[in-house]
Amino acid sequence: VPSVSDDLWTPVVAKQPVGGWRAPSGSANQIIAAYKKWHGLAYMMDMPTGAPEYGLLVDSELLVFDNAGERDRGEACSEGGPWQQLYWRIRAQDLAKYWPAARVSSTATVYDFGSYKRSGKDYDRSLMQENAAFVTKNKYEQCMEPGCMEVKRQLDLCLFSWWTDLPWAHLEEVGRMWAFLAGKQPGAGGWRALSSLIKWVRFEHVGYQQWTALHSNFTFKDVTNITGEAKWGSYMEDPMPGARLAELRPLWVSGEALERVEQGVLPSMSQETPPLLIFHADKGRPRSGREDNRDRWEVSVLELLRRHNRTDWRKDNIK
């Protein structure tokens, strides 16, 4: 990581999952990504001392929100700045016990899969159903407990909650979820070994959210009156014009959403309680030398592939 001291970060390589790695194509890529994120949490859960209370299930295309993601920082990371509130803002969301979500439109987006088409609403509901089946071992439809009814309400209304805010997870809750999914507690190999035995599904944070609804009294808060209906996926990824995202005080905002704020398509973000991160920084206008960094990364990856005699990944398919 350029300009970052080695003692400030720890690289983690995921163990090979049960059944081996899937061929990296289509939805398999999403499942591989989900497993790698869970494995990062497993590393923290296995720490002999100093394990954090929370972990994040995020991709790598992140920038600090301060100064709109550019390299020259403002005051956000200074003493008393917004970044010092990261833990307390996550903790407040945990205590509030709800996940912001918006209804998905049945007409704004259509997915064309060649032989058939699906609306954004239909597709996103299927993703939530995958996760609901996963975290209940296919029993949510028969369950009538309050938590199950909340998950069914999410599905019925198609309240999509993926990445509407920073995807945090309480690590003790994660441990209870994993022990249920694996049918046992971790052994000598710790949580990392246990995580490699679970056949994960994509859009993993939706599953965690549903688990908290099932077991910790969380609910899905419908914020459609603030954001408008989502076209597809998260209203934070591709927000509708006029979406009042600032009213929700999110911990992060997407690159495309921030660009629309800058263009005046969306209202300005809160100055008192600003986002801390920009996600999907590979989308929207370039920030912090994005294209130069991408070119440098391509050179490095191709050299690593050459040294390891890999021929399955090449210049034309690594992007």
Side-chain angles (χ1 to χ4, degrees), residues 111-162:
Y111 292 96
D112 188 344
F113 294 97
S115 59
Y116 65 97
K117 295 181 179 180
R118 301 179 76 172
S119 69
K121 181 176 183 178
D122 182 43
Y123 182 71
D124 289 347
R125 178 180 282 133
S126 71
L127 296 174
M128 293 188 292
Q129 288 171 330
E130 283 181 32
N131 277 277
F134 176 63
V135 297
T136 63
K137 297 185 177 180
N138 295 305
K139 294 181 179 178
Y140 76 92
E141 292 184 289
Q142 295 77 36
C143 174
M144 300 301 291
E145 296 294 324
C148 295
M149 299 307 294
E150 178 61 14
V151 171
K152 291 178 182 179
R153 185 181 74 89
Q154 181 200 24
L155 299 177
D156 289 343
L157 297 177
C158 200
L159 294 174
F160 205 62
S161 53
W162 166 259

Side-chain angles (χ1 to χ4, degrees), residues 23-311:
S25 63
S27 62
N29 278 323
Q30 297 170 318
I31 295 171
I32 293 170
Y35 169 60
K36 290 192 295 182
K37 294 174 204 171
W38 283 125
H39 202 82
L41 298 194
Y43 177 88
M44 292 188 283
M45 293 160 68
D46 281 338
M47 292 171 64
T49 59
E53 186 176 354
Y54 296 96
L56 304 179
L57 291 158
V58 297
D59 290 334
S60 61
E61 298 87 0
L62 298 173
L63 290 173
V64 175
F65 178 82
D66 192 31
N67 195 26
E70 300 300 345
R71 287 173 177 155
D72 295 330
R73 297 281 171 251
E75 300 298 321
C77 296
S78 61
E79 185 174 354
W83 263 96
Q84 291 201 342
Q85 295 301 311
L86 172 62
Y87 169 81
W88 296 110
R89 289 176 68 181
I90 292 174
R91 180 68 176 154
Q93 290 185 1
D94 195 0
L95 293 175
K97 290 187 176 293
Y98 70 80
W99 304 105
R103 297 189 303 273
V104 182
S105 170
S106 61
T107 59
T109 298
V110 175
Y111 292 96
D112 188 344
F113 294 97
S115 59
Y116 65 97
K117 295 181 179 180
R118 301 179 76 172
S119 69
K121 181 176 183 178
D122 182 43
Y123 182 71
D124 289 347
R125 178 180 282 133
S126 71
L127 296 174
M128 293 188 292
Q129 288 171 330
E130 283 181 32
N131 277 277
F134 176 63
V135 297
T136 63
K137 297 185 177 180
N138 295 305
K139 294 181 179 178
Y140 76 92
E141 292 184 289
Q142 295 77 36
C143 174
M144 300 301 291
E145 296 294 324
C148 295
M149 299 307 294
E150 178 61 14
V151 171
K152 291 178 182 179
R153 185 181 74 89
Q154 181 200 24
L155 299 177
D156 289 343
L157 297 177
C158 200
L159 294 174
F160 205 62
S161 53
W162 166 259
W163 283 18
T164 54
D165 207 337
L166 189 68
W168 56 264
H170 194 287
L171 297 190
E172 288 186 1
E173 191 74 74
V174 171
R176 289 188 285 270
M177 174 180 160
W178 290 9
F180 168 78
L181 293 172
K184 60 181 179 180
Q185 293 292 327
W191 291 107
R192 280 172 286 178
L194 190 70
S195 73
S196 70
L197 302 178
I198 299 171
K199 293 185 177 180
W200 299 103
V201 297
R202 54 191 175 160
F203 290 83
E204 69 293 326
H205 198 244
V206 172
Y208 174 79
Q209 294 168 346
Q210 292 171 333
W211 172 269
T212 64
L214 292 163
H215 300 280
S216 296
N217 301 315
F218 273 69
T219 61
F220 296 95
K221 183 176 181 179
D222 187 347
V223 298
T224 310
N225 63 320
I226 296 173
T227 65
E229 286 190 326
K231 299 178 188 176
W232 57 274
S234 165
Y235 61 75
M236 188 64 77
E237 294 179 275
D238 186 11
M240 289 287 199
R244 305 190 309 276
L245 303 179
E247 293 182 21
L248 301 173
R249 301 294 194 267
L251 278 157
W252 73 354
V253 64
S254 72
E256 287 183 301
L258 181 55
E259 182 178 31
R260 291 171 197 177
V261 169
E262 294 166 337
Q263 293 170 341
V265 177
L266 301 179
S268 298
M269 304 305 296
S270 170
Q271 298 297 310
E272 296 178 355
T273 315
L276 299 181
L277 288 171
I278 302 169
F279 73 97
H280 285 341
D282 56 326
K283 299 180 180 179
R285 75 165 178 85
R287 303 173 192 275
S288 197
R290 182 179 71 192
E291 305 310 320
D292 289 342
N293 290 333
R294 181 178 291 166
D295 291 342
R296 288 159 54 197
W297 180 247
E298 178 182 329
V299 171
S300 298
V301 170
L302 289 173
E303 177 59 21
L304 283 170
L305 292 171
R306 186 190 67 78
R307 293 187 183 190
H308 289 273
N309 297 314
R310 294 287 296 270
T311 58

